[in-house]
Amino acid sequence: MNRSMKKLIIHIGYPKTASTTIQLNVFKSLYKNGEVEYLNHIGAHSEDLGSYIVKDIFEYSTGFTTVLPVKELELLKNIELPISILSNESLSHVSANCPNPSYRRGVYDNLERLHNAFKPYYDKIELVMVIRDQSTMIHSYYTQEFFNIVREDSRYSDMKLWIQDNFGAAIDQEELMFNYFKMYQSAVSYFGEDNTHVLLYEDLIHNKEKFMTQWASILGKDSTVIKDLFDKKAQNVTVRKSNSRSTDKPSIGSKLSLLSRQLKVPKGARKFVKTLVPKKLTSLKMGKEVEMQNLSKDDIELINKQFGASNLQLSKQAELNIEQLKSFGYPIGS
């Protein structure tokens, strides 16, 4: 690559597709080695992220502000490294239109805002989406977000009800969360087919060499280097038991948030108190895990019906092996 040419890689997740592992092991290591610029969407100084703050850009990209963050964007002109990385799985499923984890919709318009923000500052932008069969994805996501979901709506302690309300027949395909084909279409429309990459999480489990080779090609690195980094240490997995998954223990912050809602503490007061309590304290885990049973046959049938047609379209347009998708459990329509 010409040294004067700058490329941005946007990794949008999805959830439960080893995002944390690649962030902490690969992206962080490449940044520490001075090989890439790792854009800091958190906004606070962190050893895990770079010095170029893009918190306002992230807020703009997810629709929480409509003001184009020109100040942050202009600073990107000072980046000298040829590759920058922005990685956050929230980009795939969180926006101002659906901030509540108990009620989710597709957030395909995030990609338009990402394109509008970054296009003037990079010669090339590539978008990476790592997908997982929807049944496993939905179950893992619910397990991970359980305490956030029931904090917003206690009825959703019944997983079946949450699945019906978020993935039932009443939800239009255009709004359906985890509609990978819709996200792919949106990505291609803004970044182009050659710059849109669809990786399968299942390849990481069953064909690791392929998964690492794909990431190596995107990052412009040797696959053995990426594999060594990926295997380094940090992982974030949902606890598995014989016939179920268990949630993480709820954080102190989650407990306090639920209590403040129950006591009807004004929103402004909650925000003020939050600024006073150290993040290290609120992130501590407490309480008991909740064991989640597997999806029922009816749940799986519903998910298969909702995603079969769109997955078939994705396999054709993104040139994914349809038999492989079937073997990995992806719903595929006829």
Side-chain angles (χ1 to χ4, degrees):
M1 179 187 296
N2 189 320
R3 277 198 167 275
S4 64
M5 182 177 179
K6 289 197 286 189
K7 179 170 80 170
L8 172 64
I9 298 170
I10 303 175
H11 169 231
I12 65 169
Y14 279 80
K16 311 308 295 182
T17 59
S19 295
T20 301
T21 305
I22 196 165
Q23 288 165 350
L24 295 181
N25 295 349
V26 179
F27 300 157
K28 177 183 173 182
S29 296
L30 292 175
Y31 163 67
K32 291 282 190 179
N33 292 338
E35 299 178 61
V36 303
E37 186 58 59
Y38 195 8
L39 300 183
N40 186 336
H41 62 269
I42 294 176
H45 292 292
S46 167
E47 65 174 12
D48 294 337
L49 292 169
S51 58
Y52 284 89
I53 304 295
V54 294
K55 183 180 179 182
D56 292 343
I57 299 172
F58 182 80
E59 293 289 306
Y60 171 81
S61 299
T62 49
F64 287 94
T65 177
T66 59
V67 179
L68 190 67
V70 176
K71 185 176 180 180
E72 285 186 354
L73 287 166
E74 285 294 308
L75 289 174
L76 299 180
K77 291 180 178 179
N78 297 324
I79 294 176
E80 297 181 353
L81 293 170
I83 295 178
S84 300
I85 296 173
L86 174 64
S87 176
N88 189 294
E89 64 184 32
S90 292
L91 292 167
S92 71
H93 68 286
V94 175
S95 81
N97 294 328
C98 56
N100 187 333
S102 67
Y103 183 82
R104 288 293 193 205
R105 292 293 179 267
V107 296
Y108 315 110
D109 52 342
N110 282 356
L111 301 191
E112 178 182 7
R113 290 186 286 263
L114 283 165
H115 174 268
N116 292 344
F118 285 113
K119 180 62 176 176
Y121 299 92
Y122 286 91
D123 303 292
K124 186 176 185 180
I125 302 176
E126 298 189 26
L127 185 130
V128 184
M129 47 188 286
V130 184
I131 64 175
R132 187 174 184 172
D133 87 90
Q134 280 95 344
S135 291
T136 306
M137 170 74 76
I138 289 168
H139 189 246
S140 296
Y141 177 81
Y142 176 83
T143 302
Q144 174 181 277
E145 293 291 328
F146 176 77
F147 291 106
N148 293 326
I149 290 170
V150 299
R151 181 181 64 197
E152 300 291 342
D153 192 331
S154 60
R155 297 177 305 134
Y156 290 140
S157 59
D158 180 349
M159 180 171 60
K160 182 178 289 293
L161 178 60
W162 180 79
I163 290 175
Q164 284 288 340
D165 284 359
N166 284 273
F167 301 96
I171 308 302
D172 188 271
Q173 288 285 317
E174 294 294 304
E175 297 185 342
L176 196 61
M177 183 168 70
F178 303 147
N179 183 332
Y180 304 139
F181 177 62
K182 178 67 178 175
M183 185 65 84
Y184 177 78
Q185 280 186 309
S186 182
V188 168
S189 69
Y190 294 111
F191 305 107
E193 188 173 325
D194 291 341
N195 296 323
T196 300
H197 308 279
V198 181
L199 279 60
L200 305 184
Y201 168 78
E202 290 81 4
D203 278 333
L204 175 61
I205 309 302
H206 303 289
N207 190 354
K208 199 167 189 177
E209 183 177 350
K210 176 183 176 183
F211 190 82
M212 297 307 164
T213 298
Q214 289 174 310
W215 265 119
S217 176
I218 295 165
L219 293 165
K221 304 294 178 184
D222 187 271
S223 60
T224 56
V225 172
I226 300 303
K227 184 179 183 303
D228 288 344
L229 291 176
F230 199 91
D231 290 341
K232 198 172 177 183
K233 52 180 178 179
Q235 297 185 40
N236 178 27
V237 297
T238 307
V239 179
R240 292 174 180 268
K241 294 186 178 179
S242 58
N243 193 39
S244 64
R245 288 182 173 85
S246 293
T247 64
D248 290 333
K249 294 178 181 179
S251 68
I252 290 177
S254 178
K255 290 276 191 179
L256 291 174
S257 179
L258 177 59
L259 179 61
S260 65
R261 288 171 184 270
Q262 291 172 340
L263 296 176
K264 298 183 178 179
V265 177
K267 189 174 182 180
R270 296 202 303 266
K271 283 188 174 181
F272 176 71
V273 171
K274 186 177 180 180
T275 64
L276 298 178
V277 182
K279 189 173 181 180
K280 286 185 177 180
L281 176 61
T282 58
S283 63
L284 291 176
K285 304 291 185 178
M286 61 179 294
K288 296 181 179 180
E289 300 171 346
V290 176
E291 190 170 314
M292 299 294 163
Q293 293 301 311
N294 288 340
L295 298 178
S296 70
K297 182 179 179 181
D298 290 342
D299 293 333
I300 294 174
E301 287 181 357
L302 171 63
I303 292 168
N304 287 346
K305 184 176 181 180
Q306 281 292 69
F307 291 104
S310 62
N311 283 350
L312 179 61
Q313 290 175 300
L314 177 69
S315 70
K316 293 176 179 178
Q317 292 203 17
E319 298 183 349
L320 302 176
N321 186 302
I322 192 168
E323 295 304 322
Q324 184 183 53
L325 291 177
K326 288 179 180 179
S327 71
F328 289 152
Y330 286 78
I332 299 293
S334 56

